[in-house]
Amino acid sequence: MGRSPEKDPLLGESKDPYSFMYPGQGHSSTLDISGMVGSDEFESNSDNYSYYSSYNGLNGGSNQSQHNNNQNNNNNSPIIFSPHKGNSGSIGNGSDTHSNNNNNNNNNNIKNNRNHNNLENSPGSIGSGSDILIGTTNEKMDLSGTPLTKIKKVGGSGEHKIGQLFSTAICGNDITSSIFYTASSCTLSAGKYAPISLLIVCIVLYLFRKVYGEVGCALPLNGGAYNVLLNTTSKQIASVAAALTMISYVATAVVSASTAMNYLQNLWEELNIFWATIGLLGFFALLSLIGITESAVVAFIIFSIHMVTLLILVFGGFGIFFYKHDWSVLVNNWNDVNPPDPNGTLQCEQQFYWGQNFAYCIYFGFGSAMLGVTGFETSSNFIEQQDKGVFPKTLRNMWAIVTFFNPLISVLSLCFLDTCTIVNAKGYVLATVANEIFGQWFHIWIIVDAVLVLSGSVLTSYVGFVGLVRRMSLDRCLPQFLIDINSCRKTTHWIIILFFLICSSLYAIVQGALSTLEGVYAVSFLGVMLLFAVGNMLLKYKRSSLKREIKAPWLGVFFASASVILGLIANIYKDHYIVFYFGIYFLVTIFIIMVMFTRARLLKMVLFFSQIVIWWSAPLRAKAAKSIGDQIKKINSQPIVFFASKDDTAYLNKAILYIRDNEQTNWVKVIHCYDSQDEENIGNQNNHQNVQSPPPPSSSSLQKPQQQQIEQSNNEIKQNGIEHNDVDHNHGHHNHHHHSQDAHNHHHHHHQNLHHIVRETHDDVDDSFSQHVQFLDGCYPKIRIDYIRVFANFTPSTVEKLSILLKVPKNFMFIACLKENTILNIGDLGGERRVP
């Protein structure tokens, strides 16, 4: 089994400094759960449980199981079965009298055992105690009679759901704000062909509607690309998507803040754009620190004002254009006639598009136009807060808004402004168009609208970045200090301050060059979209059985992926310096993430060299080994739960391998929930065996005395019918072990007792699941593998209760695949992950 030595090497009692790598010996224990009358009481008493060790070597505990039949004082308390059947704990061998005698003192016994064993045998300790069992911890919990528990989402997402209008408003502010700077950047690359490039992007976005929609329906969890890759690939690859998303948030905030200040400078000419941008970023950092975040109502008001503004601009602009019948500017733009430039400020012939053919212009314009749909991924980052069925509608609404406004505003700009003028009005092109069409009043209106909407995008970036970094810190991909909560305002201040510093440094490094910032933004955003498409393909290939209302065709996903790759190439070719700026932040982020993944191995290397370098002092070497070993044990102490639906060794082994390769842990708890269908099948098998022959022993590892006890126990069950130390819940006293002559009483207790017999028979006779887990526990000496039976249906409430009882967050709980006939969705479980 490769178990650790008897003495703890980290205390200086072993000469092997690497013994801490072995998680130690598992306790054979019984879990006592109390105070589960209601969901609130259950949560408040979640610490009222303890592990009772057998302390009887490999033969199991003969004394501890006395307590198992005495826990029926509370009708709502779960029934706990002892993992090992000793003489006093087996069925029908005279243990009832002792059980009845102990019933009155049951609470005292439990308290005493709690006080004695709570510290030593708590779930957080591994291998503590002196005389403990080797191998699998075999706990059995009955949660079938407990009330429902409120489901909590990973990351703290609340119960309040928002509808289609508010969801569209939050996302729409992001995606429609990009038109304030895309109209200029796309014209810089495509010239007069800018509307065509923008229209092609809308076609690509239509394909991504299906891509995002399928993923969101199959995995309705927050996190976007990080979430889909986390459930289809390794944690390391998912972290790459998270790093790209973080850079995208940074670029969004910087570009939006800079563009807002460029618009504002049209009203306040003395405004220093550089320091004003830093100030705006700092202002929203302050708002985030004091706890002011996005409000769906405020977002809806801003979005409504913005939509009214764009509608006036488009319909009023084209109305005036057709009313005046002045086609001269549009004709000149189409014929490449430059406006007079006596001072040489426009530099029309030096622009990127000048002198190029239409294919060249359309292609590079397409690359720049992809920036006009940034924010499309926003909806997938708060999908858990949306009502059921809202997510696809939000994607549809965003696509419709972009398809309507972006090409039309580009055409409108070409109708009133020369191409060179559009290119040179980089940060305030819509304000210039508005002034040309309606005059000064609408010019000011556009500026105010731009500052409002773009500032909202900055706040959205703060909220998105904080949420993503917090989730990654909870998943142990980033340092844990980042999720420290400010005691005054209850905000994650370190993440907010970090985001402000990153945004400010990026803006300072590029010296406020808006075109470079847009390039960094485009690369990170397109990288996220590409990984989302890859995640969709993997979801089709690996998780085709997941229920989804939307399915993207393979050809559409391939075409969408190819389009994003072409857009990436166009942006990098156009300005290769953006790779340098992008690479700085991306590589630093990836480096931090990789250090978090490999920190245990790095510490082992430090331990190895410390034993070589500190050659002169044995006590100092032991002290260094203890300190480093404690850190490694702390890193690996997080238990991981895997909900197994079948007792297939290859199936279980695949899950263990995935957990070993992706999680920093040496403790895996395999849980199998026996639902009503399983118990019915077991009951049928038990009835069939009762008629034909005694059941054979299930485990070859059982000793002969234990096998004889099991056979004797089952024979007594068949002789005595179904009467076994049951509790009369209506009168509060125990039934005696004799065959009742009253048929009515016999029928009254039939279902209760049969429920217990089925479970005990399955535990003692047909326990191949336990054998397989014990076999895997021997195959992986550096991982402690426990097996826990839960007699309850696999429901979100059951998962929530187990998460509280075992003190394992749901983002460290795994499932392979839901049953095909289940009505559950993976999102109903509150953040439980999938083994790819």
Side-chain angles (χ1 to χ4, degrees):
M1 298 283 288
R3 302 294 173 185
S4 58
E6 296 180 359
K7 295 183 178 180
D8 192 347
L10 301 181
L11 299 177
E13 298 176 314
S14 174
K15 295 182 180 180
D16 184 7
Y18 301 99
S19 299
F20 62 84
M21 293 190 298
Y22 300 92
Q25 302 166 329
H27 287 277
S28 179
S29 55
T30 297
L31 186 62
D32 171 41
I33 311 172
S34 60
M36 297 174 64
V37 177
S39 60
D40 295 336
E41 186 175 353
F42 174 82
E43 293 177 16
S44 63
N45 289 282
S46 60
D47 291 333
N48 289 335
Y49 70 93
S50 61
Y51 288 90
Y52 298 143
S53 298
S54 297
Y55 293 103
N56 284 301
L58 293 174
N59 293 328
S62 60
N63 298 322
Q64 195 61 41
S65 56
Q66 297 170 1
H67 300 283
N68 295 326
N69 295 324
N70 302 327
Q71 299 172 8
N72 297 312
N73 294 333
N74 188 342
N75 294 348
N76 293 313
S77 297
I79 302 170
I80 312 302
F81 295 92
S82 175
H84 296 279
K85 306 294 184 295
N87 292 331
S88 62
S90 57
I91 303 173
N93 60 356
S95 62
D96 303 81
T97 303
H98 184 73
S99 172
N100 289 325
N101 292 335
N102 279 346
N103 187 51
N104 295 330
N105 299 322
N106 185 46
N107 292 332
N108 294 330
N109 291 338
I110 292 175
K111 290 180 180 178
N112 292 334
N113 278 287
R114 255 191 211 135
N115 295 334
H116 180 70
N117 293 325
N118 195 37
L119 292 176
E120 185 174 76
N121 300 319
S122 65
S125 62
I126 301 176
S128 58
S130 58
D131 185 13
I132 54 180
L133 298 179
I134 294 178
T136 303
T137 296
N138 199 354
E139 302 157 355
K140 307 175 184 67
M141 285 180 270
D142 182 6
L143 303 177
S144 57
T146 60
L148 297 178
T149 302
K150 183 174 68 174
I151 309 303
K152 296 181 180 179
K153 302 289 186 179
V154 174
S157 57
E159 293 182 349
H160 181 67
K161 302 290 185 179
I162 55 179
Q164 181 182 167
L165 287 178
F166 285 161
S167 298
T168 302
I170 294 173
C171 304
N173 285 331
D174 262 2
I175 197 168
T176 56
S177 66
S178 59
I179 192 61
F180 286 111
Y181 44 83
T182 303
S184 175
S185 60
C186 183
T187 305
L188 173 64
S189 301
K192 60 187 178 184
Y193 301 107
I196 300 176
S197 298
L198 289 165
L199 190 59
I200 295 174
V201 168
C202 294
I203 296 173
V204 174
L205 194 64
Y206 178 82
L207 299 176
F208 271 101
R209 270 184 59 191
K210 299 286 187 179
V211 173
Y212 277 72
E214 180 177 3
V215 172
C217 292
L219 296 171
L221 301 169
N222 294 348
Y226 171 72
N227 171 59
V228 63
L229 292 176
L230 190 64
N231 285 278
T232 54
T233 61
S234 67
K235 203 171 185 179
Q236 291 82 354
I237 296 177
S239 297
V240 174
L244 287 171
T245 306
M246 284 190 282
I247 297 175
S248 178
Y249 281 130
V250 170
T252 300
V254 176
V255 171
S256 298
S258 178
T259 306
M261 294 302 99
N262 271 279
Y263 272 88
L264 187 59
Q265 193 188 40
N266 279 264
L267 293 180
W268 184 9
E269 295 183 358
E270 293 80 13
L271 181 68
N272 187 308
I273 295 177
F274 180 87
W275 290 111
T277 301
I278 299 295
L280 185 63
L281 292 171
F283 172 73
F284 282 106
L286 181 62
L287 290 182
S288 300
L289 284 171
I290 63 178
I292 298 177
T293 57
E294 280 187 312
S295 168
V297 176
V298 175
F300 179 74
I301 294 173
I302 295 175
F303 179 70
S304 301
I305 295 173
H306 184 49
M307 287 296 99
V308 170
T309 302
L310 293 183
L311 287 172
I312 294 174
L313 177 65
V314 170
F315 285 102
F318 278 109
I320 292 175
F321 175 76
F322 288 112
Y323 176 76
K324 290 183 177 180
H325 294 286
D326 185 4
W327 298 71
S328 59
V329 177
L330 182 61
V331 171
N332 289 337
N333 286 332
W334 184 255
N335 294 324
D336 295 327
V337 177
N338 291 325
D341 186 19
N343 298 324
T345 56
L346 296 178
Q347 298 180 348
C348 296
E349 297 182 359
Q350 282 75 42
Q351 300 301 333
F352 183 85
Y353 66 87
W354 186 257
Q356 306 296 336
N357 60 53
F358 75 96
Y360 183 92
C361 293
I362 291 175
Y363 172 62
F364 284 98
F366 166 78
S368 298
M370 289 298 291
L371 198 63
V373 295
T374 53
F376 188 75
E377 79 285 0
T378 303
S379 184
S380 63
N381 290 321
F382 67 98
I383 189 172
E384 293 179 26
Q385 284 76 35
Q386 300 178 41
D387 280 328
K388 186 176 181 180
V390 167
F391 177 65
K393 296 177 181 178
T394 305
L395 298 176
R396 178 202 62 196
N397 296 342
M398 286 193 291
W399 171 80
I401 291 170
V402 168
T403 302
F404 179 78
F405 283 114
N406 284 15
L408 286 179
I409 289 176
S410 180
V411 173
L412 185 66
S413 301
L414 292 172
C415 291
F416 287 92
L417 298 176
D418 298 300
T419 308
C420 274
T421 305
I422 297 173
V423 171
N424 282 275
K426 294 179 181 178
Y428 48 88
V429 59
L430 291 194
T432 305
V433 174
N435 186 64
E436 192 72 23
I437 298 174
F438 297 102
Q440 185 67 17
W441 71 274
F442 200 65
H443 173 78
I444 297 174
W445 185 339
I446 286 287
I447 291 174
V448 173
D449 178 63
V451 173
L452 271 177
V453 175
L454 291 168
S455 297
S457 294
V458 176
L459 182 58
T460 301
S461 300
Y462 268 97
V463 174
F465 185 88
V466 169
L468 180 59
V469 172
R470 184 173 182 272
R471 171 60 193 270
M472 293 189 68
S473 298
L474 291 173
D475 288 343
R476 303 202 296 174
C477 300
L478 289 174
Q480 299 296 295
F481 77 88
L482 291 173
I483 55 177
D484 290 345
I485 302 297
N486 189 310
S487 59
C488 297
R489 304 301 303 175
K490 308 301 180 183
T491 56
T492 49
H493 51 280
W494 290 119
I495 304 177
I496 297 169
I497 295 172
L498 177 66
F499 186 68
F500 170 71
L501 293 176
I502 293 174
C503 292
S504 301
S505 63
L506 176 61
Y507 190 66
I509 287 175
V510 301
Q511 298 178 350
L514 191 58
S515 58
T516 304
L517 289 172
E518 290 172 353
V520 174
Y521 190 7
V523 169
S524 57
F525 168 71
L526 293 176
V528 172
M529 292 193 75
L530 178 61
L531 290 179
F532 214 104
V534 172
N536 181 281
M537 297 179 194
L538 293 172
L539 197 65
K540 291 175 180 293
Y541 175 70
K542 292 186 175 183
R543 290 290 177 260
S544 58
S545 61
L546 281 177
K547 295 185 298 183
R548 63 202 80 179
E549 292 77 17
I550 299 174
K551 290 187 178 180
W554 276 100
L555 185 60
V557 179
F558 280 126
F559 186 80
S561 304
S563 301
V564 168
I565 294 173
L566 290 174
L568 272 171
I569 295 173
N571 281 280
I572 294 173
Y573 179 83
K574 179 184 172 183
D575 184 5
H576 58 274
Y577 286 107
I578 63 176
V579 178
F580 171 73
Y581 298 115
F582 169 81
I584 293 175
Y585 291 90
F586 179 74
L587 293 177
V588 169
T589 306
I590 289 296
F591 174 77
I592 295 173
I593 293 173
M594 291 301 109
V595 168
M596 290 296 298
F597 281 133
T598 59
R599 52 184 171 156
R601 296 179 184 177
L602 294 175
L603 286 173
K604 290 176 186 177
M605 293 176 60
V606 173
L607 175 61
F608 173 78
F609 286 107
S610 69
Q611 301 301 299
I612 297 175
V613 173
I614 313 175
W615 54 269
W616 68 87
S617 175
L620 190 58
R621 286 201 307 272
K623 186 176 181 181
K626 173 177 170 48
S627 177
I628 298 173
D630 285 344
Q631 291 298 318
I632 296 175
K633 289 175 69 176
K634 182 179 179 181
I635 293 170
N636 292 330
S637 63
Q638 174 63 57
I640 302 295
V641 167
F642 174 65
F643 287 95
S645 60
K646 55 184 178 181
D647 60 341
D648 183 271
T649 308
Y651 162 83
L652 295 171
N653 185 57
K654 179 182 178 182
I656 299 300
L657 285 173
Y658 179 83
I659 293 172
R660 184 194 67 177
D661 295 338
N662 290 273
E663 299 296 333
Q664 300 176 80
T665 186
N666 56 11
W667 193 358
V668 178
K669 295 175 178 286
V670 178
I671 297 179
H672 178 64
C673 293
Y674 287 91
D675 56 20
S676 56
Q677 182 178 359
D678 292 331
E679 292 185 8
E680 182 180 353
N681 294 336
I682 297 170
N684 293 335
Q685 294 176 6
N686 181 63
N687 293 333
H688 182 70
Q689 291 172 353
N690 286 342
V691 174
Q692 292 186 358
S693 62
S698 62
S699 174
S700 60
S701 62
L702 291 174
Q703 299 181 2
K704 290 184 178 180
Q706 292 174 304
Q707 296 174 356
Q708 293 173 359
Q709 291 171 9
I710 292 173
E711 293 176 359
Q712 179 184 358
S713 172
N714 284 286
N715 289 331
E716 291 178 359
I717 292 173
K718 288 184 282 187
Q719 293 173 4
N720 295 327
I722 53 173
E723 301 181 18
H724 166 57
N725 194 27
D726 204 350
V727 177
D728 189 334
H729 294 291
N730 296 322
H731 303 285
H733 64 274
H734 290 282
N735 294 320
H736 297 287
H737 274 248
H738 64 275
H739 186 67
S740 176
Q741 303 298 321
D742 188 352
H744 179 270
N745 291 336
H746 178 85
H747 179 75
H748 175 72
H749 297 289
H750 174 75
H751 293 288
Q752 294 180 353
N753 290 325
L754 181 59
H755 193 56
H756 289 249
I757 290 175
V758 167
R759 292 175 183 175
E760 295 288 356
T761 304
H762 188 276
D763 291 343
D764 296 335
V765 179
D766 191 25
D767 201 7
S768 62
F769 218 130
S770 180
Q771 294 179 44
H772 292 163
V773 174
Q774 188 173 9
F775 169 74
L776 291 173
D777 188 42
C779 293
Y780 297 97
K782 294 183 180 180
I783 303 177
R784 169 181 170 178
I785 306 176
D786 295 351
Y787 173 46
I788 303 176
R789 292 195 194 97
V790 179
F791 289 99
N793 292 330
F794 182 76
T795 63
S797 180
T798 301
V799 173
E800 185 70 31
K801 291 173 183 177
L802 292 172
S803 176
I804 296 172
L805 285 172
L806 301 178
K807 296 185 178 179
V808 178
K810 279 178 286 186
N811 52 315
F812 293 116
M813 290 182 163
F814 291 83
I815 184 175
C817 193
L818 293 171
K819 295 181 180 179
E820 294 183 2
N821 58 349
T822 183
I823 61 174
L824 289 177
N825 190 295
I826 189 66
D828 299 331
L829 301 176
E832 190 176 354
R833 289 163 55 191
R834 306 179 63 82
V835 176

